[in-house]
Amino acid sequence: MERRVVSPSTPLSTPDPRRWLMLPVILSATFMALFDFFVVNVAAPSLEHDLNAGQAALELIVGGYAFTYASGMVTGGRLGDLLGYRRLFLTGMAAFTVASLLCGLAQSPSQLIAARLLQGLTGAAMVPQVLALITATFPAEERPRAMSWFGVTAGIGSIAGQVLGGLLLDADLFGLGWRVIFLINVPVGAVALVFALRLLPHHRSQRRPRLDPLGAIGISGALALVLVPLILGREEGWPVWTWICMAAALPLLAATLAWEFRLTRRGGEPLLDLTLFRNRSFAAGLPVNVAFMSFFASFMFVLTLLLQGGLGLSPLEAGLTFLPLGVLFSVTSILGRSLVARYGLRVMTVGATISGLGLTTLIAELQTLGGDITPAWLLVPTSLVGLGNGLVLPALIGAVLAGIQPAHGGAAAGVLTTVQQFASAAGVAVLGAVFFGGLGARPSRDDFAAATEAVTFLALALVLTAAALTLFLPRPATAPQRTVEPEPLVEAA
């Protein structure tokens, strides 16, 4: 087998000729992971009816997946750097497929929650390798284009979870009901594995980075101490343990960061690579991701509950209500790259502002119509949200990661996706608690409308915060790269 050394800090002289064929294969992992986060929204009423899943169980089915996905992401990135991106991608894809099968076979809420936790953890093994493979395989001049397709895929996967999920539930294939939304991953994952085995290059680092178990436990523990009380606290009546857990999260996180600093000073390899934050775009882009993903995930979750629980729509009708949002997102996300190239990163500011306008329109309609609101009235606000989101998400991911050196691709991808998924889980937990808290014991259409209005106000605050934070992103020409000089990669042809 021929082996050659390439430097990741400069464009490859002979790039992998199969790189553009590889791209849709690895992006399938991104699509599946995001699809499975959002598809359970449209299935929530079916899960509540068929499995007797309560409100806390529904939030755990959604938020539990995001938690293990987020908490395992940085470790997944490090394992990719350690064992090879190809190997971790294949292992993660196979495990994710098996976990999806277990979700589809679950017979109780507790079994489904456990399978969803496993599904999120296996997703954390495969998804960081997507960005790492893009960074390691594509020349620098092609990398922004490939990154933009990653962002497009992430957004389309999120929307497809609503639209395609509704179609699958309405079709009721083979009488499987809600189970089909998980079982569909089995053939998709099998096909992706076949192509991945053929097309993925062999990239691994010459050095052998070490794992950081204390860092992994500390970061995961801090996330759990926040998310679990937020999800369970309202239904349990906010007992003392929930406040103790949330109070303990901050000192645990501080202690973990202190350990990471100490490990760095000793010449070790911390799980959280603190040198990444020397890159201004990376450091400034993470807060934008927190605000934007908190808004996006919670808005989709709550709007689905309004459509099905409040307005009585079927899963198909609810899914089709999101179709204009998805179409406009797809169009603007594809056009966004050329707009950013021409007008700069302020395109994201404009996009977030347009999304805010859509939320403002929805608030005005809910205040005016209350429980009399219909899906037709949602067309304009959701279309504006789709239009704006398409200008933000792909460009934001590219802006954050475009300056990262290939040798740090796995670590950077792990940190970014951890932040995104933790923000998504926290958004669903916090805004979901606000939503369910406003419904009461026997909610009417008016109660659903009022609860949605309260959540939309919070979502508007988040998206306007994201718009403001985009103003602090450095222009590419003025953002010098201060990354650590990377080591060579060994590519096995």
Side-chain angles (χ1 to χ4, degrees), residues 342-370:
R342 182 171 182 179
Y343 299 107
L345 297 180
R346 298 302 172 255
V347 170
M348 290 189 290
T349 310
V350 174
T353 304
I354 293 173
S355 296
L357 179 60
L359 296 178
T360 303
T361 304
L362 179 58
I363 290 170
E365 292 179 353
L366 289 169
Q367 288 182 335
T368 303
L369 299 171

CSV table of all heavy atoms in Angstrom, one decimal, residues 342-370:
chain,number,residue,atom,x,y,z
A,342,ARG,N,-19.5,37.9,-1.7
A,342,ARG,CA,-19.6,39.3,-2.3
A,342,ARG,C,-19.8,40.4,-1.2
A,342,ARG,O,-19.2,41.4,-1.3
A,342,ARG,CB,-20.8,39.3,-3.2
A,342,ARG,CG,-21.0,40.6,-3.9
A,342,ARG,CD,-22.1,40.5,-5.0
A,342,ARG,NE,-22.2,41.8,-5.7
A,342,ARG,CZ,-23.1,42.0,-6.7
A,342,ARG,NH1,-23.8,41.0,-7.2
A,342,ARG,NH2,-23.1,43.2,-7.3
A,343,TYR,N,-20.6,40.1,-0.2
A,343,TYR,CA,-20.9,41.1,0.8
A,343,TYR,C,-20.3,40.9,2.2
A,343,TYR,O,-20.4,41.8,3.0
A,343,TYR,CB,-22.4,41.3,0.9
A,343,TYR,CG,-23.1,41.6,-0.4
A,343,TYR,CD1,-23.9,40.7,-1.1
A,343,TYR,CD2,-23.0,42.9,-0.9
A,343,TYR,CE1,-24.5,41.0,-2.3
A,343,TYR,CE2,-23.7,43.3,-2.1
A,343,TYR,CZ,-24.4,42.3,-2.8
A,343,TYR,OH,-25.0,42.7,-3.9
A,344,GLY,N,-19.7,39.8,2.4
A,344,GLY,CA,-19.1,39.5,3.7
A,344,GLY,C,-20.0,38.9,4.7
A,344,GLY,O,-21.1,38.5,4.4
A,345,LEU,N,-19.5,38.8,5.9
A,345,LEU,CA,-20.2,38.1,7.0
A,345,LEU,C,-21.4,38.8,7.5
A,345,LEU,O,-22.2,38.2,8.2
A,345,LEU,CB,-19.3,37.8,8.2
A,345,LEU,CG,-18.1,36.9,7.9
A,345,LEU,CD1,-17.2,36.7,9.1
A,345,LEU,CD2,-18.5,35.5,7.3
A,346,ARG,N,-21.6,40.0,7.1
A,346,ARG,CA,-22.8,40.8,7.5
A,346,ARG,C,-24.1,40.2,6.9
A,346,ARG,O,-25.2,40.5,7.3
A,346,ARG,CB,-22.7,42.3,7.2
A,346,ARG,CG,-21.5,42.9,7.9
A,346,ARG,CD,-21.6,42.8,9.4
A,346,ARG,NE,-20.4,43.3,10.1
A,346,ARG,CZ,-19.5,42.5,10.6
A,346,ARG,NH1,-19.7,41.2,10.6
A,346,ARG,NH2,-18.4,43.0,11.2
A,347,VAL,N,-23.9,39.3,5.9
A,347,VAL,CA,-25.1,38.6,5.4
A,347,VAL,C,-25.7,37.8,6.5
A,347,VAL,O,-27.0,37.7,6.5
A,347,VAL,CB,-24.6,37.6,4.2
A,347,VAL,CG1,-25.7,36.7,3.8
A,347,VAL,CG2,-24.2,38.4,3.0
A,348,MET,N,-24.9,37.3,7.4
A,348,MET,CA,-25.5,36.5,8.6
A,348,MET,C,-26.3,37.5,9.5
A,348,MET,O,-27.4,37.1,10.0
A,348,MET,CB,-24.4,35.9,9.4
A,348,MET,CG,-23.8,34.7,8.7
A,348,MET,SD,-22.7,33.8,9.7
A,348,MET,CE,-21.4,34.9,9.9
A,349,THR,N,-25.9,38.7,9.6
A,349,THR,CA,-26.6,39.7,10.4
A,349,THR,C,-28.0,39.9,9.8
A,349,THR,O,-29.0,40.0,10.5
A,349,THR,CB,-25.8,41.0,10.6
A,349,THR,OG1,-24.5,40.7,11.0
A,349,THR,CG2,-26.5,41.9,11.6
A,350,VAL,N,-28.0,40.1,8.5
A,350,VAL,CA,-29.2,40.3,7.8
A,350,VAL,C,-30.1,39.1,7.9
A,350,VAL,O,-31.3,39.2,8.2
A,350,VAL,CB,-28.9,40.7,6.3
A,350,VAL,CG1,-30.2,40.8,5.5
A,350,VAL,CG2,-28.2,42.0,6.2
A,351,GLY,N,-29.6,37.9,7.8
A,351,GLY,CA,-30.3,36.7,7.9
A,351,GLY,C,-31.0,36.5,9.2
A,351,GLY,O,-32.2,36.2,9.3
A,352,ALA,N,-30.2,36.8,10.3
A,352,ALA,CA,-30.8,36.7,11.6
A,352,ALA,C,-31.9,37.7,11.9
A,352,ALA,O,-32.9,37.4,12.5
A,352,ALA,CB,-29.7,36.8,12.7
A,353,THR,N,-31.7,38.9,11.3
A,353,THR,CA,-32.7,39.9,11.4
A,353,THR,C,-34.0,39.5,10.7
A,353,THR,O,-35.1,39.8,11.2
A,353,THR,CB,-32.2,41.3,10.9
A,353,THR,OG1,-31.0,41.6,11.5
A,353,THR,CG2,-33.2,42.4,11.1
A,354,ILE,N,-33.9,38.9,9.5
A,354,ILE,CA,-35.1,38.4,8.8
A,354,ILE,C,-35.8,37.4,9.6
A,354,ILE,O,-37.0,37.4,9.7
A,354,ILE,CB,-34.7,37.9,7.4
A,354,ILE,CG1,-34.1,39.0,6.5
A,354,ILE,CG2,-35.8,37.2,6.7
A,354,ILE,CD1,-33.6,38.5,5.2
A,355,SER,N,-35.0,36.5,10.2
A,355,SER,CA,-35.7,35.5,11.1
A,355,SER,C,-36.4,36.1,12.3
A,355,SER,O,-37.5,35.7,12.6
A,355,SER,CB,-34.6,34.5,11.6
A,355,SER,OG,-34.0,33.7,10.6
A,356,GLY,N,-35.8,37.2,12.8
A,356,GLY,CA,-36.4,37.9,13.9
A,356,GLY,C,-37.7,38.6,13.4
A,356,GLY,O,-38.7,38.6,14.2
A,357,LEU,N,-37.7,39.0,12.2
A,357,LEU,CA,-39.0,39.6,11.6
A,357,LEU,C,-40.1,38.6,11.5
A,357,LEU,O,-41.2,38.8,11.8
A,357,LEU,CB,-38.7,40.2,10.3
A,357,LEU,CG,-39.8,40.9,9.5
A,357,LEU,CD1,-40.4,42.0,10.3
A,357,LEU,CD2,-39.4,41.4,8.1
A,358,GLY,N,-39.7,37.4,11.1
A,358,GLY,CA,-40.7,36.3,11.1
A,358,GLY,C,-41.2,36.0,12.4
A,358,GLY,O,-42.5,35.8,12.6
A,359,LEU,N,-40.4,35.9,13.5
A,359,LEU,CA,-40.9,35.7,14.8
A,359,LEU,C,-41.8,36.8,15.3
A,359,LEU,O,-42.8,36.6,16.0
A,359,LEU,CB,-39.7,35.5,15.8
A,359,LEU,CG,-38.8,34.3,15.5
A,359,LEU,CD1,-37.7,34.2,16.5
A,359,LEU,CD2,-39.6,33.0,15.6
A,360,THR,N,-41.4,38.0,15.0
A,360,THR,CA,-42.3,39.2,15.3
A,360,THR,C,-43.6,39.1,14.7
A,360,THR,O,-44.7,39.4,15.3
A,360,THR,CB,-41.6,40.5,14.9
A,360,THR,OG1,-40.3,40.6,15.5
A,360,THR,CG2,-42.4,41.7,15.3
A,361,THR,N,-43.7,38.7,13.4
A,361,THR,CA,-44.9,38.5,12.7
A,361,THR,C,-45.8,37.4,13.4
A,361,THR,O,-47.0,37.6,13.5
A,361,THR,CB,-44.7,38.1,11.2
A,361,THR,OG1,-43.9,39.1,10.6
A,361,THR,CG2,-46.0,38.0,10.5
A,362,LEU,N,-45.1,36.3,13.8
A,362,LEU,CA,-45.9,35.2,14.5
A,362,LEU,C,-46.5,35.7,15.8
A,362,LEU,O,-47.6,35.4,16.1
A,362,LEU,CB,-44.9,34.1,14.7
A,362,LEU,CG,-45.6,32.9,15.4
A,362,LEU,CD1,-46.8,32.3,14.7
A,362,LEU,CD2,-44.5,31.8,15.6
A,363,ILE,N,-45.7,36.5,16.5
A,363,ILE,CA,-46.2,37.1,17.8
A,363,ILE,C,-47.4,37.9,17.6
A,363,ILE,O,-48.4,37.8,18.3
A,363,ILE,CB,-45.1,37.9,18.5
A,363,ILE,CG1,-44.0,36.9,19.0
A,363,ILE,CG2,-45.7,38.7,19.7
A,363,ILE,CD1,-42.8,37.6,19.5
A,364,ALA,N,-47.4,38.8,16.6
A,364,ALA,CA,-48.5,39.7,16.2
A,364,ALA,C,-49.7,38.8,15.9
A,364,ALA,O,-50.9,39.1,16.3
A,364,ALA,CB,-48.1,40.6,15.1
A,365,GLU,N,-49.6,37.8,15.1
A,365,GLU,CA,-50.7,36.9,14.7
A,365,GLU,C,-51.3,36.2,15.9
A,365,GLU,O,-52.5,36.1,16.1
A,365,GLU,CB,-50.2,35.9,13.7
A,365,GLU,CG,-49.9,36.5,12.3
A,365,GLU,CD,-49.4,35.5,11.3
A,365,GLU,OE1,-49.2,34.4,11.7
A,365,GLU,OE2,-49.2,35.9,10.1
A,366,LEU,N,-50.4,35.7,16.8
A,366,LEU,CA,-50.9,35.0,18.0
A,366,LEU,C,-51.6,35.9,18.9
A,366,LEU,O,-52.7,35.5,19.5
A,366,LEU,CB,-49.7,34.3,18.7
A,366,LEU,CG,-49.1,33.1,18.0
A,366,LEU,CD1,-47.8,32.7,18.7
A,366,LEU,CD2,-50.1,31.9,18.0
A,367,GLN,N,-51.2,37.1,19.0
A,367,GLN,CA,-51.9,38.1,19.9
A,367,GLN,C,-53.2,38.5,19.3
A,367,GLN,O,-54.2,38.7,20.1
A,367,GLN,CB,-51.0,39.4,20.1
A,367,GLN,CG,-49.8,39.2,20.9
A,367,GLN,CD,-49.0,40.4,21.1
A,367,GLN,OE1,-49.0,41.3,20.3
A,367,GLN,NE2,-48.2,40.5,22.2
A,368,THR,N,-53.3,38.5,18.0
A,368,THR,CA,-54.5,39.0,17.3
A,368,THR,C,-55.5,37.8,17.2
A,368,THR,O,-56.7,38.0,17.5
A,368,THR,CB,-54.2,39.5,15.9
A,368,THR,OG1,-53.3,40.6,16.0
A,368,THR,CG2,-55.5,40.0,15.3
A,369,LEU,N,-55.1,36.6,16.8
A,369,LEU,CA,-56.0,35.5,16.5
A,369,LEU,C,-56.1,34.5,17.7
A,369,LEU,O,-57.2,33.9,17.8
A,369,LEU,CB,-55.5,34.8,15.3
A,369,LEU,CG,-55.4,35.6,14.0
A,369,LEU,CD1,-54.7,34.8,12.9
A,369,LEU,CD2,-56.8,36.0,13.5
A,370,GLY,N,-55.1,34.4,18.5
A,370,GLY,CA,-55.2,33.5,19.6
A,370,GLY,C,-55.4,32.1,19.1
A,370,GLY,O,-54.7,31.6,18.2
